[in-house]
Structure formats: C-alpha cells, structure tokens
Amino acid sequence: MATCEHLSRPGDVDALTPDGCEECLASGGRWVHLRRCLECGHVGCCDSSPGKHATQHFHSSGHPVIQSYEPGEEWRWCFVDNQMA
C-alpha cells in the first residue's frame, strides 16, 4: 500500500501547548496520550481520552495528519486516508 499524499508532506511544527492537551489544560480535564497536529502544532488528547480532542481538532480544522506526542514514538496518522506511517 502506498503512503498517502498527506503523510508524505513534511510537518515539523512546534507544539502550541508542549505541556499537554490544549483543551484539557484549559478545562482541567485529563488525557491518556497526546497527539500533535503537523499542520498547526495543536496538541490534543487521543481517542482513549475522555475528550478525544485530537480527533475533534481534525473535524473542526480539516488538518489531516497527527503525530504521536509521546516520548519515543514517531508514528503519524492520516485521518483522511485512515493510514499510519
């Protein structure tokens, strides 16, 4: 399977909230794992977290690719093509 066009784009933007999920930090919520948007740097929580803010960010912004924001993890996920790299 070929890598989707979104995953082949470079994406090295700084995290907007390096200390955690932007929405959870603002509301006092909790997260399980963090994901960083490679288009704008939004940091959101994963779908195992109550808020699912990374997925909500995709739906509101249309930014297709996130990368794990967990130490030692480098994988990326494209919401549009449901593909991992």
Side-chain angles (χ1 to χ4, degrees), residues 33-35 67-76:
H33 298 288
L34 298 172
R35 312 295 182 232
Q67 183 171 23
S68 174
Y69 197 60
E70 295 297 312
E73 293 184 1
E74 298 290 325
W75 59 264
R76 297 175 176 199

Side-chain angles (χ1 to χ4, degrees), residues 15-35:
L16 295 176
T17 54
D19 294 330
C21 173
E22 181 176 343
E23 292 82 2
C24 289
L25 287 170
S27 68
R30 295 180 175 218
W31 59 83
V32 177
H33 298 288
L34 298 172
R35 312 295 182 232

